[in-house]
PDB file of all heavy atoms in Angstrom:
ATOM      1  N   HIS U   1     -87.375  86.948 -25.412  1.00  0.00           N
ATOM      2  CA  HIS U   1     -88.024  86.754 -24.107  1.00  0.00           C
ATOM      3  C   HIS U   1     -88.377  88.228 -23.554  1.00  0.00           C
ATOM      4  O   HIS U   1     -89.325  88.353 -22.744  1.00  0.00           O
ATOM      5  CB  HIS U   1     -87.233  85.921 -23.191  1.00  0.00           C
ATOM      6  CG  HIS U   1     -87.211  84.599 -23.676  1.00  0.00           C
ATOM      7  ND1 HIS U   1     -88.313  83.666 -23.491  1.00  0.00           N
ATOM      8  CD2 HIS U   1     -86.225  83.756 -24.209  1.00  0.00           C
ATOM      9  CE1 HIS U   1     -87.944  82.467 -24.034  1.00  0.00           C
ATOM     10  NE2 HIS U   1     -86.754  82.422 -24.422  1.00  0.00           N
ATOM     11  N   GLY U   2     -87.437  89.135 -23.672  1.00  0.00           N
ATOM     12  CA  GLY U   2     -87.608  90.415 -23.281  1.00  0.00           C
ATOM     13  C   GLY U   2     -88.842  91.123 -23.868  1.00  0.00           C
ATOM     14  O   GLY U   2     -89.632  91.793 -23.185  1.00  0.00           O
ATOM     15  N   TYR U   3     -89.073  90.881 -25.196  1.00  0.00           N
ATOM     16  CA  TYR U   3     -90.223  91.387 -25.923  1.00  0.00           C
ATOM     17  C   TYR U   3     -91.480  90.801 -25.259  1.00  0.00           C
ATOM     18  O   TYR U   3     -92.403  91.550 -24.918  1.00  0.00           O
ATOM     19  CB  TYR U   3     -90.010  90.918 -27.305  1.00  0.00           C
ATOM     20  CG  TYR U   3     -91.431  91.216 -28.105  1.00  0.00           C
ATOM     21  CD1 TYR U   3     -91.554  92.439 -28.780  1.00  0.00           C
ATOM     22  CD2 TYR U   3     -92.281  90.202 -28.311  1.00  0.00           C
ATOM     23  CE1 TYR U   3     -92.684  92.734 -29.559  1.00  0.00           C
ATOM     24  CE2 TYR U   3     -93.446  90.441 -29.152  1.00  0.00           C
ATOM     25  CZ  TYR U   3     -93.614  91.721 -29.674  1.00  0.00           C
ATOM     26  OH  TYR U   3     -94.747  91.910 -30.441  1.00  0.00           O
ATOM     27  N   TRP U   4     -91.583  89.586 -25.018  1.00  0.00           N
ATOM     28  CA  TRP U   4     -92.737  88.953 -24.428  1.00  0.00           C
ATOM     29  C   TRP U   4     -92.948  89.426 -22.973  1.00  0.00           C
ATOM     30  O   TRP U   4     -94.094  89.674 -22.592  1.00  0.00           O
ATOM     31  CB  TRP U   4     -92.617  87.404 -24.437  1.00  0.00           C
ATOM     32  CG  TRP U   4     -92.789  86.799 -25.905  1.00  0.00           C
ATOM     33  CD1 TRP U   4     -93.645  87.452 -26.791  1.00  0.00           C
ATOM     34  CD2 TRP U   4     -92.252  85.601 -26.520  1.00  0.00           C
ATOM     35  NE1 TRP U   4     -93.580  86.641 -28.016  1.00  0.00           N
ATOM     36  CE2 TRP U   4     -92.786  85.608 -27.864  1.00  0.00           C
ATOM     37  CE3 TRP U   4     -91.375  84.768 -25.902  1.00  0.00           C
ATOM     38  CZ2 TRP U   4     -92.459  84.531 -28.678  1.00  0.00           C
ATOM     39  CZ3 TRP U   4     -91.080  83.694 -26.753  1.00  0.00           C
ATOM     40  CH2 TRP U   4     -91.569  83.634 -28.098  1.00  0.00           C
ATOM     41  N   LEU U   5     -91.978  89.516 -22.181  1.00  0.00           N
ATOM     42  CA  LEU U   5     -92.016  90.102 -20.871  1.00  0.00           C
ATOM     43  C   LEU U   5     -92.758  91.350 -20.876  1.00  0.00           C
ATOM     44  O   LEU U   5     -93.594  91.683 -20.017  1.00  0.00           O
ATOM     45  CB  LEU U   5     -90.636  90.119 -20.158  1.00  0.00           C
ATOM     46  CG  LEU U   5     -90.274  88.720 -19.618  1.00  0.00           C
ATOM     47  CD1 LEU U   5     -88.649  88.861 -19.249  1.00  0.00           C
ATOM     48  CD2 LEU U   5     -90.885  88.211 -18.431  1.00  0.00           C
ATOM     49  N   LYS U   6     -92.281  92.343 -21.730  1.00  0.00           N
ATOM     50  CA  LYS U   6     -92.887  93.624 -21.781  1.00  0.00           C
ATOM     51  C   LYS U   6     -94.247  93.533 -22.386  1.00  0.00           C
ATOM     52  O   LYS U   6     -95.276  94.250 -21.843  1.00  0.00           O
ATOM     53  CB  LYS U   6     -91.961  94.456 -22.723  1.00  0.00           C
ATOM     54  CG  LYS U   6     -92.418  95.919 -22.791  1.00  0.00           C
ATOM     55  CD  LYS U   6     -91.452  96.808 -23.706  1.00  0.00           C
ATOM     56  CE  LYS U   6     -91.935  98.167 -23.732  1.00  0.00           C
ATOM     57  NZ  LYS U   6     -90.955  98.984 -24.551  1.00  0.00           N
ATOM     58  N   LYS U   7     -94.499  92.618 -23.404  1.00  0.00           N
ATOM     59  CA  LYS U   7     -95.833  92.539 -23.965  1.00  0.00           C
ATOM     60  C   LYS U   7     -96.818  92.086 -22.966  1.00  0.00           C
ATOM     61  O   LYS U   7     -98.015  92.518 -22.992  1.00  0.00           O
ATOM     62  CB  LYS U   7     -95.754  91.584 -25.046  1.00  0.00           C
ATOM     63  CG  LYS U   7     -96.941  91.698 -26.203  1.00  0.00           C
ATOM     64  CD  LYS U   7     -96.585  92.703 -27.140  1.00  0.00           C
ATOM     65  CE  LYS U   7     -97.573  92.672 -28.260  1.00  0.00           C
ATOM     66  NZ  LYS U   7     -97.561  93.974 -29.118  1.00  0.00           N
ATOM     67  N   HIS U   8     -96.456  91.091 -22.139  1.00  0.00           N
ATOM     68  CA  HIS U   8     -97.466  90.552 -21.201  1.00  0.00           C
ATOM     69  C   HIS U   8     -97.399  91.348 -19.715  1.00  0.00           C
ATOM     70  O   HIS U   8     -98.115  90.968 -18.858  1.00  0.00           O
ATOM     71  CB  HIS U   8     -97.069  89.094 -20.958  1.00  0.00           C
ATOM     72  CG  HIS U   8     -97.542  88.214 -22.059  1.00  0.00           C
ATOM     73  ND1 HIS U   8     -98.854  87.713 -22.299  1.00  0.00           N
ATOM     74  CD2 HIS U   8     -96.722  87.701 -23.079  1.00  0.00           C
ATOM     75  CE1 HIS U   8     -98.726  87.064 -23.446  1.00  0.00           C
ATOM     76  NE2 HIS U   8     -97.479  87.035 -23.819  1.00  0.00           N
ATOM     77  N   GLY U   9     -96.564  92.275 -19.588  1.00  0.00           N
ATOM     78  CA  GLY U   9     -96.483  93.176 -18.464  1.00  0.00           C
ATOM     79  C   GLY U   9     -96.061  92.333 -17.202  1.00  0.00           C
ATOM     80  O   GLY U   9     -96.621  92.417 -16.110  1.00  0.00           O
ATOM     81  N   LEU U  10     -95.044  91.427 -17.418  1.00  0.00           N
ATOM     82  CA  LEU U  10     -94.688  90.529 -16.335  1.00  0.00           C
ATOM     83  C   LEU U  10     -93.374  90.975 -15.712  1.00  0.00           C
ATOM     84  O   LEU U  10     -92.494  91.520 -16.245  1.00  0.00           O
ATOM     85  CB  LEU U  10     -94.423  89.040 -17.020  1.00  0.00           C
ATOM     86  CG  LEU U  10     -95.641  88.414 -17.583  1.00  0.00           C
ATOM     87  CD1 LEU U  10     -95.249  87.096 -18.245  1.00  0.00           C
ATOM     88  CD2 LEU U  10     -96.684  88.144 -16.598  1.00  0.00           C
ATOM     89  N   GLU U  11     -93.352  90.627 -14.348  1.00  0.00           N
ATOM     90  CA  GLU U  11     -92.206  90.955 -13.566  1.00  0.00           C
ATOM     91  C   GLU U  11     -91.267  89.724 -13.844  1.00  0.00           C
ATOM     92  O   GLU U  11     -91.460  88.632 -13.408  1.00  0.00           O
ATOM     93  CB  GLU U  11     -92.445  91.125 -12.094  1.00  0.00           C
ATOM     94  CG  GLU U  11     -93.265  92.455 -11.755  1.00  0.00           C
ATOM     95  CD  GLU U  11     -92.335  93.632 -12.027  1.00  0.00           C
ATOM     96  OE1 GLU U  11     -91.195  93.661 -11.746  1.00  0.00           O
ATOM     97  OE2 GLU U  11     -92.867  94.740 -12.394  1.00  0.00           O
ATOM     98  N   GLY U  12     -90.150  90.012 -14.542  1.00  0.00           N
ATOM     99  CA  GLY U  12     -89.260  88.918 -14.723  1.00  0.00           C
ATOM    100  C   GLY U  12     -87.928  89.367 -15.437  1.00  0.00           C
ATOM    101  O   GLY U  12     -88.045  90.564 -16.055  1.00  0.00           O
ATOM    102  N   GLU U  13     -86.959  88.719 -15.504  1.00  0.00           N
ATOM    103  CA  GLU U  13     -85.622  89.024 -16.180  1.00  0.00           C
ATOM    104  C   GLU U  13     -85.226  87.756 -17.042  1.00  0.00           C
ATOM    105  O   GLU U  13     -85.499  86.625 -16.656  1.00  0.00           O
ATOM    106  CB  GLU U  13     -84.615  89.354 -15.206  1.00  0.00           C
ATOM    107  CG  GLU U  13     -84.772  90.627 -14.605  1.00  0.00           C
ATOM    108  CD  GLU U  13     -83.692  91.128 -13.742  1.00  0.00           C
ATOM    109  OE1 GLU U  13     -82.615  90.301 -13.553  1.00  0.00           O
ATOM    110  OE2 GLU U  13     -83.688  92.047 -13.033  1.00  0.00           O
ATOM    111  N   TYR U  14     -84.620  88.115 -18.225  1.00  0.00           N
ATOM    112  CA  TYR U  14     -84.053  87.068 -19.001  1.00  0.00           C
ATOM    113  C   TYR U  14     -82.691  87.715 -19.465  1.00  0.00           C
ATOM    114  O   TYR U  14     -82.665  88.728 -20.181  1.00  0.00           O
ATOM    115  CB  TYR U  14     -84.949  86.773 -20.299  1.00  0.00           C
ATOM    116  CG  TYR U  14     -84.313  85.555 -20.934  1.00  0.00           C
ATOM    117  CD1 TYR U  14     -84.812  84.381 -20.840  1.00  0.00           C
ATOM    118  CD2 TYR U  14     -83.156  85.745 -21.974  1.00  0.00           C
ATOM    119  CE1 TYR U  14     -84.216  83.259 -21.451  1.00  0.00           C
ATOM    120  CE2 TYR U  14     -82.742  84.745 -22.584  1.00  0.00           C
ATOM    121  CZ  TYR U  14     -83.222  83.506 -22.338  1.00  0.00           C
ATOM    122  OH  TYR U  14     -82.584  82.319 -23.160  1.00  0.00           O
ATOM    123  N   GLY U  15     -81.624  87.097 -19.113  1.00  0.00           N
ATOM    124  CA  GLY U  15     -80.292  87.573 -19.464  1.00  0.00           C
ATOM    125  C   GLY U  15     -79.416  86.627 -20.078  1.00  0.00           C
ATOM    126  O   GLY U  15     -79.746  85.496 -20.565  1.00  0.00           O
ATOM    127  N   ARG U  16     -78.106  86.906 -20.178  1.00  0.00           N
ATOM    128  CA  ARG U  16     -77.101  86.134 -20.695  1.00  0.00           C
ATOM    129  C   ARG U  16     -76.058  85.515 -19.597  1.00  0.00           C
ATOM    130  O   ARG U  16     -75.711  86.345 -18.668  1.00  0.00           O
ATOM    131  CB  ARG U  16     -76.244  86.706 -21.783  1.00  0.00           C
ATOM    132  CG  ARG U  16     -76.986  87.046 -23.009  1.00  0.00           C
ATOM    133  CD  ARG U  16     -76.054  87.813 -24.060  1.00  0.00           C
ATOM    134  NE  ARG U  16     -76.650  87.971 -25.398  1.00  0.00           N
ATOM    135  CZ  ARG U  16     -77.293  89.083 -25.681  1.00  0.00           C
ATOM    136  NH1 ARG U  16     -77.451  89.986 -24.808  1.00  0.00           N
ATOM    137  NH2 ARG U  16     -77.948  89.202 -26.837  1.00  0.00           N
ATOM    138  N   LEU U  17     -75.741  84.211 -19.694  1.00  0.00           N
ATOM    139  CA  LEU U  17     -74.747  83.734 -18.727  1.00  0.00           C
ATOM    140  C   LEU U  17     -73.853  82.925 -19.445  1.00  0.00           C
ATOM    141  O   LEU U  17     -74.054  81.733 -19.809  1.00  0.00           O
ATOM    142  CB  LEU U  17     -75.556  82.964 -17.698  1.00  0.00           C
ATOM    143  CG  LEU U  17     -74.793  82.419 -16.444  1.00  0.00           C
ATOM    144  CD1 LEU U  17     -73.983  83.561 -15.782  1.00  0.00           C
ATOM    145  CD2 LEU U  17     -75.525  81.685 -15.548  1.00  0.00           C
ATOM    146  N   ASP U  18     -72.582  83.381 -19.568  1.00  0.00           N
ATOM    147  CA  ASP U  18     -71.528  82.732 -20.269  1.00  0.00           C
ATOM    148  C   ASP U  18     -70.933  81.568 -19.322  1.00  0.00           C
ATOM    149  O   ASP U  18     -70.517  81.965 -18.264  1.00  0.00           O
ATOM    150  CB  ASP U  18     -70.474  83.634 -20.697  1.00  0.00           C
ATOM    151  CG  ASP U  18     -69.606  83.020 -21.762  1.00  0.00           C
ATOM    152  OD1 ASP U  18     -68.761  82.116 -21.313  1.00  0.00           O
ATOM    153  OD2 ASP U  18     -69.535  83.334 -23.014  1.00  0.00           O
ATOM    154  N   VAL U  19     -71.023  80.316 -19.702  1.00  0.00           N
ATOM    155  CA  VAL U  19     -70.464  79.366 -18.897  1.00  0.00           C
ATOM    156  C   VAL U  19     -69.110  78.744 -19.559  1.00  0.00           C
ATOM    157  O   VAL U  19     -69.171  78.226 -20.694  1.00  0.00           O
ATOM    158  CB  VAL U  19     -71.495  78.181 -18.862  1.00  0.00           C
ATOM    159  CG1 VAL U  19     -70.815  77.048 -18.131  1.00  0.00           C
ATOM    160  CG2 VAL U  19     -72.701  78.689 -18.278  1.00  0.00           C
ATOM    161  N   PRO U  20     -67.979  79.021 -19.001  1.00  0.00           N
ATOM    162  CA  PRO U  20     -66.768  78.478 -19.513  1.00  0.00           C
ATOM    163  C   PRO U  20     -66.834  76.956 -19.740  1.00  0.00           C
ATOM    164  O   PRO U  20     -67.351  76.274 -18.885  1.00  0.00           O
ATOM    165  CB  PRO U  20     -65.712  78.908 -18.514  1.00  0.00           C
ATOM    166  CG  PRO U  20     -66.288  80.117 -17.804  1.00  0.00           C
ATOM    167  CD  PRO U  20     -67.745  79.708 -17.791  1.00  0.00           C
ATOM    168  N   PRO U  21     -66.316  76.471 -20.782  1.00  0.00           N
ATOM    169  CA  PRO U  21     -66.372  74.993 -21.125  1.00  0.00           C
ATOM    170  C   PRO U  21     -65.882  74.149 -19.996  1.00  0.00           C
ATOM    171  O   PRO U  21     -66.483  73.048 -19.603  1.00  0.00           O
ATOM    172  CB  PRO U  21     -65.521  74.871 -22.378  1.00  0.00           C
ATOM    173  CG  PRO U  21     -65.660  76.140 -23.043  1.00  0.00           C
ATOM    174  CD  PRO U  21     -65.643  77.158 -21.924  1.00  0.00           C
ATOM    175  N   GLU U  22     -64.871  74.587 -19.179  1.00  0.00           N
ATOM    176  CA  GLU U  22     -64.225  73.667 -18.322  1.00  0.00           C
ATOM    177  C   GLU U  22     -65.264  73.653 -16.898  1.00  0.00           C
ATOM    178  O   GLU U  22     -65.120  72.850 -16.073  1.00  0.00           O
ATOM    179  CB  GLU U  22     -62.968  74.129 -17.740  1.00  0.00           C
ATOM    180  CG  GLU U  22     -62.875  75.714 -17.274  1.00  0.00           C
ATOM    181  CD  GLU U  22     -62.676  76.747 -18.344  1.00  0.00           C
ATOM    182  OE1 GLU U  22     -62.943  76.417 -19.519  1.00  0.00           O
ATOM    183  OE2 GLU U  22     -62.282  77.864 -17.913  1.00  0.00           O
ATOM    184  N   ASN U  23     -66.166  74.590 -16.930  1.00  0.00           N
ATOM    185  CA  ASN U  23     -67.148  74.615 -15.777  1.00  0.00           C
ATOM    186  C   ASN U  23     -68.577  74.116 -16.166  1.00  0.00           C
ATOM    187  O   ASN U  23     -69.341  74.077 -15.330  1.00  0.00           O
ATOM    188  CB  ASN U  23     -67.331  76.138 -15.401  1.00  0.00           C
ATOM    189  CG  ASN U  23     -66.122  76.675 -14.750  1.00  0.00           C
ATOM    190  OD1 ASN U  23     -65.201  76.021 -14.414  1.00  0.00           O
ATOM    191  ND2 ASN U  23     -66.059  78.021 -14.680  1.00  0.00           N
ATOM    192  N   ALA U  24     -68.770  73.681 -17.502  1.00  0.00           N
ATOM    193  CA  ALA U  24     -70.022  73.290 -17.873  1.00  0.00           C
ATOM    194  C   ALA U  24     -70.594  72.276 -17.042  1.00  0.00           C
ATOM    195  O   ALA U  24     -71.833  72.220 -16.524  1.00  0.00           O
ATOM    196  CB  ALA U  24     -70.100  72.940 -19.347  1.00  0.00           C
ATOM    197  N   GLU U  25     -69.947  71.112 -16.764  1.00  0.00           N
ATOM    198  CA  GLU U  25     -70.583  69.971 -16.157  1.00  0.00           C
ATOM    199  C   GLU U  25     -70.925  70.335 -14.608  1.00  0.00           C
ATOM    200  O   GLU U  25     -71.984  70.022 -14.132  1.00  0.00           O
ATOM    201  CB  GLU U  25     -69.675  68.758 -16.143  1.00  0.00           C
ATOM    202  CG  GLU U  25     -69.545  68.106 -17.416  1.00  0.00           C
ATOM    203  CD  GLU U  25     -68.698  66.791 -17.398  1.00  0.00           C
ATOM    204  OE1 GLU U  25     -68.591  66.179 -16.254  1.00  0.00           O
ATOM    205  OE2 GLU U  25     -68.236  66.291 -18.499  1.00  0.00           O
ATOM    206  N   ARG U  26     -70.018  71.091 -14.071  1.00  0.00           N
ATOM    207  CA  ARG U  26     -70.363  71.525 -12.636  1.00  0.00           C
ATOM    208  C   ARG U  26     -71.515  72.539 -12.615  1.00  0.00           C
ATOM    209  O   ARG U  26     -72.480  72.394 -11.757  1.00  0.00           O
ATOM    210  CB  ARG U  26     -69.090  72.274 -12.150  1.00  0.00           C
ATOM    211  CG  ARG U  26     -69.244  72.645 -10.566  1.00  0.00           C
ATOM    212  CD  ARG U  26     -67.937  72.984  -9.787  1.00  0.00           C
ATOM    213  NE  ARG U  26     -67.253  74.208 -10.418  1.00  0.00           N
ATOM    214  CZ  ARG U  26     -66.192  74.156 -11.161  1.00  0.00           C
ATOM    215  NH1 ARG U  26     -65.676  73.050 -11.499  1.00  0.00           N
ATOM    216  NH2 ARG U  26     -65.724  75.238 -11.748  1.00  0.00           N
ATOM    217  N   PHE U  27     -71.602  73.463 -13.583  1.00  0.00           N
ATOM    218  CA  PHE U  27     -72.688  74.466 -13.498  1.00  0.00           C
ATOM    219  C   PHE U  27     -73.973  73.723 -13.677  1.00  0.00           C
ATOM    220  O   PHE U  27     -74.894  73.997 -12.956  1.00  0.00           O
ATOM    221  CB  PHE U  27     -72.493  75.436 -14.838  1.00  0.00           C
ATOM    222  CG  PHE U  27     -73.677  76.422 -14.926  1.00  0.00           C
ATOM    223  CD1 PHE U  27     -73.806  77.466 -14.101  1.00  0.00           C
ATOM    224  CD2 PHE U  27     -74.565  76.120 -15.961  1.00  0.00           C
ATOM    225  CE1 PHE U  27     -74.915  78.325 -14.197  1.00  0.00           C
ATOM    226  CE2 PHE U  27     -75.720  77.065 -16.102  1.00  0.00           C
ATOM    227  CZ  PHE U  27     -75.758  78.124 -15.195  1.00  0.00           C
ATOM    228  N   TYR U  28     -74.133  72.847 -14.782  1.00  0.00           N
ATOM    229  CA  TYR U  28     -75.446  72.200 -15.024  1.00  0.00           C
ATOM    230  C   TYR U  28     -75.707  71.204 -13.950  1.00  0.00           C
ATOM    231  O   TYR U  28     -76.969  71.008 -13.465  1.00  0.00           O
ATOM    232  CB  TYR U  28     -75.543  71.694 -16.408  1.00  0.00           C
ATOM    233  CG  TYR U  28     -75.526  72.837 -17.454  1.00  0.00           C
ATOM    234  CD1 TYR U  28     -74.408  72.942 -18.277  1.00  0.00           C
ATOM    235  CD2 TYR U  28     -76.483  73.628 -17.737  1.00  0.00           C
ATOM    236  CE1 TYR U  28     -74.261  73.943 -19.268  1.00  0.00           C
ATOM    237  CE2 TYR U  28     -76.460  74.714 -18.552  1.00  0.00           C
ATOM    238  CZ  TYR U  28     -75.432  74.757 -19.341  1.00  0.00           C
ATOM    239  OH  TYR U  28     -75.315  75.873 -20.242  1.00  0.00           O
ATOM    240  N   GLY U  29     -74.765  70.517 -13.379  1.00  0.00           N
ATOM    241  CA  GLY U  29     -74.962  69.625 -12.236  1.00  0.00           C
ATOM    242  C   GLY U  29     -75.405  70.239 -11.050  1.00  0.00           C
ATOM    243  O   GLY U  29     -76.023  69.707 -10.108  1.00  0.00           O
ATOM    244  N   ASN U  30     -75.020  71.642 -10.772  1.00  0.00           N
ATOM    245  CA  ASN U  30     -75.452  72.364  -9.651  1.00  0.00           C
ATOM    246  C   ASN U  30     -76.350  73.601 -10.050  1.00  0.00           C
ATOM    247  O   ASN U  30     -76.217  74.624  -9.507  1.00  0.00           O
ATOM    248  CB  ASN U  30     -74.229  72.891  -8.888  1.00  0.00           C
ATOM    249  CG  ASN U  30     -73.309  71.832  -8.403  1.00  0.00           C
ATOM    250  OD1 ASN U  30     -73.662  71.046  -7.479  1.00  0.00           O
ATOM    251  ND2 ASN U  30     -72.172  71.521  -8.958  1.00  0.00           N
ATOM    252  N   PHE U  31     -77.196  73.326 -11.008  1.00  0.00           N
ATOM    253  CA  PHE U  31     -78.030  74.440 -11.534  1.00  0.00           C
ATOM    254  C   PHE U  31     -78.887  75.165 -10.458  1.00  0.00           C
ATOM    255  O   PHE U  31     -79.122  76.320 -10.605  1.00  0.00           O
ATOM    256  CB  PHE U  31     -78.992  73.893 -12.754  1.00  0.00           C
ATOM    257  CG  PHE U  31     -79.675  75.021 -13.318  1.00  0.00           C
ATOM    258  CD1 PHE U  31     -79.080  75.736 -14.377  1.00  0.00           C
ATOM    259  CD2 PHE U  31     -81.041  75.257 -13.063  1.00  0.00           C
ATOM    260  CE1 PHE U  31     -79.807  76.784 -14.965  1.00  0.00           C
ATOM    261  CE2 PHE U  31     -81.773  76.240 -13.723  1.00  0.00           C
ATOM    262  CZ  PHE U  31     -81.107  76.925 -14.542  1.00  0.00           C
TER     263      PHE U  31
END
């Protein structure tokens, strides 16, 4: 996604977000 953002000259970010397993239901439920 970083390659495409640069290729298209777009303002945007794509990163990594580690979600602990015990928090997964809460995280996606409150996305």
Side-chain angles (χ1 to χ4, degrees):
H1 292 287
Y3 171 87
W4 284 331
L5 283 168
K6 185 176 180 180
K7 197 80 172 173
H8 289 277
L10 298 174
E11 290 291 328
E13 288 183 3
Y14 186 99
R16 292 182 172 90
L17 184 56
D18 195 293
V19 179
E22 62 272 18
N23 295 344
E25 288 190 20
R26 184 167 67 253
F27 173 80
Y28 294 108
N30 298 290
F31 185 80

